[in-house]
Amino acid sequence: MTNKVLVVGGVAGGATFASQLRMLDDQAEIIVFEKDGTMSFANCGMPYYLGGFVKKREHLIAATPESFQEDKNIEVRIRHEVVRINRADKTVTIKDHIKDVTYDERYDKLVYSPGAVPIVPDIKHLDRGNCYSLRSFKDMLKLDEHISKKNYQSVCLVGGGFIGLEMAENMKARGMKVHLVQRSAHVLNLLEPNFSQILEKELIENDVDLHLSATVEQINVDRSLLLSDGAEIKADFLLLAVGIKPNKHLAEAAGLSIGKTGGVRVNEYMQTDDPDIYAIGDVIESFDFITGKPKQVPLAWVAHREAYVAARHITGDPVPFKGILGTAICKVFEQSAAVTGHSGSSLRKMKIPYETAELTSRQHAGYYPGASSLSLMVHFCPDSGTIYGAQAVGQGADKRIDVISTAINGRLSVLDLQTLEIAYAPPYSAPKDPVNMIGYKAVKKMNIKK
């Protein structure tokens, strides 16, 4: 077993890895270094705390340094920032922000999990505005405090991806006027355009001021915002949510390889070029489950699985990582949008021939109260039936995308969706679930009928 393992970063990847390693090895010395004051928290819950749906910030704390020490015999040093990886010496250089000292710590194995950093859009005179990002627990607390103390009444959300859409709902719940500016022609552009339009309709119906195919060009002297389409809007603050990029600078400085997508390159066991250094989470480049091509997806499930794979490999009982589908879901007021695998645009970009089966139905029996529209789409190979990806918008989107994600993982074909025995009662589904119906619809578009 390994003697001493250092972990750079907590939150989902680092904290999960440390816990998994302790379960597999009760003798290893494990030290986690976290530069912020909170080591492990529910990152995805931050918009809902800001919106008031999560009442106490403590509910987002997954673990504390004290609980890790007492329950798992894992040492956690918060406000300790790793500033250099010294591969030749097998040490890392650490800045202790509590004592304001710098020191080196030796390792046998190093796990690099510093996450990602927000992308700052190119906006002229950005310093004139009250600008925030939402990446860390500290970011959340700062924004929450400023909204209250400065009595913010309006917000401009820059970016219409997952965070921008979730924040739209949560800032409306907080009583604000919400503007949302999206560079591309549609929000959540992982979706097909007609599915994105369902979300856009939902945003507009909930009084979100939506600006598509537009960017914030500059912040004027009076703090009004000039958009690229000529519009001017006023907002008390901006939330920058245009995306994130891997926090890879320490790996680069240490001479570790960076992949095509900008993440640290690892093998199927999460090892970097250096066999004694592993990397997991938002900082790495992994690979696509379907195509095997490089892929970089910052999702919680991915980080948790990578943490387990790294822990198993370090303890000599390896299981390979099988790749990423990018299964994700987002709540937008009364709508839900979920995806797994590839969209039509990504398949076209890779020049992969595909067909599409699509339907709109009710999420459960139409005669049962509360039935509402559910749109479902599946992309597949017309020859083999291999499922390339799926999307769903509406109530019940979570269930259908989870079933199809499982089908992809199990290498089922689109025609196999017909055969799945899915639980039915009027409040939940129909005798032939939408997932079954997609399988039947796919037959008409297959080159080889079965």
Side-chain angles (χ1 to χ4, degrees), residues 142-400:
K142 176 183 175 182
L143 180 53
D144 184 49
E145 179 185 7
H146 285 195
I147 289 173
S148 298
K149 288 189 174 180
K150 299 186 177 184
N151 195 29
Y152 289 155
Q153 298 295 313
S154 58
V155 57
C156 176
L157 303 172
V158 185
F162 288 107
I163 295 297
L165 293 179
E166 289 173 348
M167 285 296 290
E169 177 179 357
N170 282 282
M171 292 299 91
K172 286 298 295 184
R174 199 147 173 168
M176 288 193 188
K177 173 62 180 175
V178 175
H179 308 274
L180 193 154
V181 180
Q182 167 72 338
R183 177 187 293 272
S184 61
H186 295 286
V187 299
L188 201 60
N189 55 18
L190 290 171
L191 294 175
E192 306 301 337
N194 57 325
F195 279 23
S196 291
Q197 287 168 0
I198 300 171
L199 302 184
E200 290 156 11
K201 182 173 181 288
E202 183 76 5
L203 291 166
I204 292 168
E205 288 179 352
N206 282 275
D207 195 32
V208 173
D209 179 31
L210 189 59
H211 296 264
L212 300 173
S213 299
T215 59
V216 179
E217 290 286 287
Q218 72 174 36
I219 301 178
N220 299 321
V221 176
D222 65 355
R223 292 191 174 180
S224 62
L225 310 177
L226 176 63
L227 305 190
S228 58
D229 60 5
E232 283 195 25
I233 59 177
K234 290 189 176 182
D236 293 332
F237 74 97
L238 292 82
L239 182 76
L240 308 179
V242 298
I244 57 177
K245 57 185 178 181
N247 187 11
K248 62 190 177 185
H249 66 283
L250 292 183
E252 281 185 301
L256 299 175
S257 293
I258 306 300
K260 294 179 181 179
T261 64
V264 178
R265 185 180 290 143
V266 296
N267 64 16
E268 66 268 38
Y269 301 107
M270 304 299 121
Q271 280 179 303
T272 66
D273 301 325
D274 188 324
D276 293 322
I277 301 178
Y278 294 72
I280 58 176
D282 295 355
V283 75
I284 74 167
E285 173 183 273
S286 188
F287 62 96
D288 187 271
F289 179 87
I290 296 168
T291 67
K293 294 182 178 181
K295 192 167 190 171
Q296 208 277 321
V297 177
L299 292 171
W301 179 90
V302 176
H304 284 284
R305 182 60 186 173
E306 290 164 350
Y308 178 74
V309 169
R312 284 282 296 266
H313 193 263
I314 283 177
T315 53
D317 186 21
V319 293
F321 187 67
K322 294 173 67 175
I324 302 171
L325 284 175
T327 306
I329 190 164
C330 179
K331 182 178 183 295
V332 184
F333 296 97
E334 296 304 312
Q335 293 286 357
S336 296
V339 298
T340 190
H342 290 279
S343 66
S345 61
S346 69
L347 291 169
R348 290 191 294 274
K349 189 178 296 184
M350 293 184 290
K351 298 182 179 179
I352 296 176
Y354 71 96
E355 282 289 351
T356 301
E358 181 178 355
L359 68 83
T360 298
S361 65
R362 299 291 181 180
Q363 93 277 19
H364 59 59
Y367 56 80
Y368 187 84
S372 61
S373 179
L374 170 69
S375 298
L376 180 63
M377 178 186 298
V378 176
H379 302 305
F380 58 92
C381 173
D383 296 317
S384 66
T386 297
I387 303 171
Y388 292 140
Q391 307 183 355
V393 174
Q395 298 300 314
D398 53 343
K399 170 180 174 178
R400 276 70 188 199

Side-chain angles (χ1 to χ4, degrees), residues 23-40:
M23 290 175 64
L24 298 169
D25 183 350
D26 60 4
Q27 299 299 315
E29 180 183 0
I30 307 170
I31 306 174
V32 180
F33 298 96
E34 173 53 56
K35 69 177 182 178
D36 290 331
T38 308
M39 67 151 292
S40 184

Side-chain angles (χ1 to χ4, degrees), residues 118-123 126 240 242-243 245:
I119 295 171
V120 178
D122 183 18
I123 300 174
L126 192 63
L240 308 179
V242 298
K245 57 185 178 181

